[in-house]
Amino acid sequence: MMMIAETKDLKAMDIVDDKLGDSEEDTFDFEDSQQEMTCSPYANLKAKEDCGMLYPAIEVGQILVEYSKISKFKKHKEEMTIQDVAKELVLRFLPAKTLCRFRLVCKEWNHWITNPFLVHLHSFGFRDISGLFCQSPRGKPHFISLNPRAYGVPSPTLSFLPEDVTIRAASNGLLCCQSHNIDPAYYICNPATKEWKLLRKPTYYHGPKSVVALNFEPSMLNFKANFELICAIPIPDNPVVYFEIYSSRSDSWRVADTECWEPKALEFKGDGFLLKGVAFWETCSGAVLAFDLTDEQYGMLPTPPSSESSLGVLTEMHGELCYILPHEKTDEPRIDVYGGWNLSLKYKIPLNSEVPDHITGELRPLPCVNGDVLMVLLGTRLCACNVKEGKLKMINSNVLSSGAENLKFLPYVNSLTPVGHQYVESKDFYH
């Protein structure tokens, strides 16, 4: 069953902001642009998919060529301006908030930004971590932007969802949330577009000790945002963990044949994530449970020493598994970064000389890594730590009103990845 966030028709607009690069009055009909999109090659591909035919192998260049053939905005190479080059080659690499605001530049840009081709290109063109969703056990979700001018969502508390939820997992712009009901329901949503989907009821009861991992990997060859939700379900009074998987392709759940009987995998520290087709969850017994989605087999990995009683976090860095471990009760406070399948020590980052005197408090790494920069909490302040340079920079002076020991954090990518059918109005990002 799919539920779709309601979006109003885009009306005529008077562009007056010189910073957007257009001072002319632009009046257009959003329904006309939608009708034109149904005549695009994307519509033909969708018709083939509905008939059970596979998508052809389409390269990015071919997509742009096919789109230019039908676009009434087509221009010859010698007629193209800097604005045209930016529209065709740059927009796909910008965050969703910027794109939604750039819809106000002119009707040509609005037509391109709302076209399925640009949305498809953007899903794998923009991958930067834009911020974090955080939530206390009894509170509402809240979005913390790493750069409020560039990254944002129109509803930071996810108020567009039909009920109160707990954030569970994130993957390339999509969030998995779960309702607070006795028989909780799963939602997959995109906070940037306010689109959401209610998943079917799973076979097993997913109680409070169950953990999830969301798998969404944008593909150049597939226009549909296919995703999978993998759930590890400990069975009460029975030393076994079952795996149940939801696939958006079939819109159904299935229980994997594999059963995990490892004593160290019966209790988890929290939800996990997927990396290269493998789901990872940290257990409370100093181990990591790994579940390969391809062959549906599991394995156990040891966590670094002292990880059981620390504020360490399991995450991804440079495309590989890593574990970030703080050491505060030493002569030289530092952050250790372990990486690879064996989680061997990669970096030691001393913090004595890099932490400003006015920044104090408990040090907690967050599962948010952009290249060589990882995010940490120092007290109630959000800081960025450069792994190679060993420098700590404050991003937000007071993102939290109290301690963060019970807060959950999820990294978020500001993406236009479709979940429903409509886009959020660009004016929503101004609030």
Side-chain angles (χ1 to χ4, degrees):
M1 175 181 178
M2 180 179 292
M3 304 292 293
I4 305 166
E6 182 179 359
T7 307
K8 297 180 180 179
D9 292 335
L10 193 61
K11 299 181 180 180
M13 297 175 296
D14 184 17
I15 309 304
V16 296
D17 190 349
D18 291 337
K19 293 182 180 179
L20 295 179
D22 189 349
S23 59
E24 298 180 0
E25 183 176 296
D26 295 303
T27 303
F28 57 95
D29 192 328
F30 184 66
E31 292 182 358
D32 290 342
S33 65
Q34 291 287 82
Q35 183 177 3
E36 184 169 338
M37 282 189 282
T38 61
C39 300
S40 69
Y42 170 76
N44 295 333
L45 292 174
K46 181 65 172 65
K48 291 182 179 180
E49 191 264 345
D50 289 341
C51 294
M53 301 174 64
L54 296 176
Y55 287 123
I58 300 178
E59 299 294 335
V60 176
Q62 292 176 311
I63 292 176
L64 293 176
V65 169
E66 290 298 320
Y67 174 71
S68 66
K69 290 179 182 179
I70 64 165
S71 174
K72 63 182 178 181
F73 301 117
K74 177 185 176 183
K75 294 184 180 181
H76 295 290
K77 185 176 180 180
E78 58 272 13
E79 298 175 347
M80 294 185 69
T81 64
I82 292 296
Q83 178 173 305
D84 298 322
V85 174
K87 177 176 75 74
E88 296 289 342
L89 302 178
V90 177
L91 292 185
R92 75 185 79 164
F93 300 108
L94 300 179
K97 177 178 179 178
T98 302
L99 286 180
C100 287
R101 297 185 68 175
F102 279 2
R103 287 178 59 187
L104 303 177
V105 170
C106 62
K107 58 185 177 182
E108 180 179 349
W109 278 38
N110 176 74
H111 179 88
W112 176 235
I113 291 172
T114 57
N115 191 280
F117 288 113
L118 188 278
V119 174
H120 174 62
L121 294 174
H122 183 264
S123 67
F124 58 85
F126 184 81
R127 296 292 188 91
D128 290 344
I129 301 297
S130 311
L132 299 115
F133 273 93
C134 70
Q135 186 177 21
S136 63
R138 297 183 180 180
K140 290 182 175 293
H142 181 69
F143 179 66
I144 303 171
S145 176
L146 299 184
N147 184 347
R149 297 188 63 182
Y151 311 129
V153 295
S155 179
T157 61
L158 305 182
S159 58
F160 59 88
L161 292 175
E163 55 183 326
D164 291 336
V165 296
T166 299
I167 55 174
R168 298 295 305 269
S171 181
N172 290 316
L174 299 185
L175 286 185
C176 172
C177 305
Q178 193 174 28
S179 64
H180 296 164
N181 299 332
I182 297 177
D183 189 8
Y186 287 112
Y187 293 89
I188 303 297
C189 71
N190 184 339
T193 61
K194 298 196 295 188
E195 299 176 2
W196 54 275
K197 177 184 177 71
L198 174 64
L199 302 191
R200 296 179 182 273
K201 185 177 180 180
T203 304
Y204 283 101
Y205 170 68
H206 295 189
K209 292 187 177 181
S210 299
V211 289
V212 305
L214 181 62
N215 181 39
F216 169 59
E217 188 62 35
S219 169
M220 184 187 300
L221 306 180
N222 194 344
F223 278 81
K224 297 190 70 174
N226 291 317
F227 61 87
E228 292 158 308
L229 184 65
I230 301 90
C231 305
I233 312 161
I235 302 301
D237 302 323
N238 205 350
V240 62
V241 174
Y242 292 139
F243 300 97
E244 189 166 8
I245 305 165
Y246 173 87
S247 172
S248 64
R249 292 178 176 86
S250 60
D251 189 25
S252 63
W253 292 87
R254 60 185 175 83
V255 179
D257 294 334
T258 301
E259 300 175 358
C260 177
W261 292 85
E262 295 285 344
K264 289 188 175 182
L266 300 179
E267 189 175 357
F268 300 92
K269 282 191 174 182
D271 293 306
F273 65 97
L274 265 103
L275 175 62
K276 298 178 181 179
V278 180
F280 297 97
W281 297 280
E282 184 180 2
T283 73
C284 296
S285 303
V288 175
L289 173 62
F291 179 78
D292 192 320
L293 199 57
T294 302
D295 57 17
E296 298 188 0
Q297 297 297 316
Y298 75 88
M300 301 295 294
L301 305 174
T303 55
S306 306
S307 61
E308 293 182 47
S309 58
S310 74
L311 291 173
V313 61
L314 189 71
T315 185
E316 173 188 354
M317 186 174 187
H318 297 312
E320 69 175 12
L321 185 69
C322 78
Y323 196 92
I324 305 172
L325 189 61
H327 292 275
E328 292 186 286
K329 298 178 181 179
T330 61
D331 295 336
E332 186 181 70
R334 70 178 193 271
I335 293 177
D336 291 347
V337 179
Y338 298 81
W341 292 99
N342 59 350
L343 292 178
S344 59
L345 184 62
K346 299 290 186 180
Y347 304 101
K348 286 186 177 182
I349 311 169
L351 298 178
N352 247 351
S353 59
E354 299 298 340
V355 180
D357 293 337
H358 65 282
I359 303 181
T360 58
E362 187 176 52
L363 179 66
R364 176 184 174 183
L366 302 178
C368 179
V369 180
N370 261 343
D372 292 324
V373 178
L374 57 91
M375 298 297 157
V376 299
L377 279 177
L378 200 51
T380 61
R381 295 168 173 85
L382 179 65
C383 301
C385 178
N386 190 296
V387 174
K388 291 186 176 180
E389 298 178 3
K391 293 182 179 180
L392 202 65
K393 178 182 178 181
M394 187 170 65
I395 301 297
N396 194 307
S397 61
N398 194 21
V399 297
L400 307 170
S401 58
S402 59
E405 62 276 0
N406 294 322
L407 288 179
K408 181 171 185 174
F409 291 86
L410 291 178
Y412 171 69
V413 176
N414 208 196
S415 169
L416 290 176
T417 299
V419 178
H421 294 310
Q422 299 293 331
Y423 301 110
V424 65
E425 288 192 46
S426 54
K427 67 180 183 181
D428 288 348
F429 277 99
Y430 287 91
H431 300 299

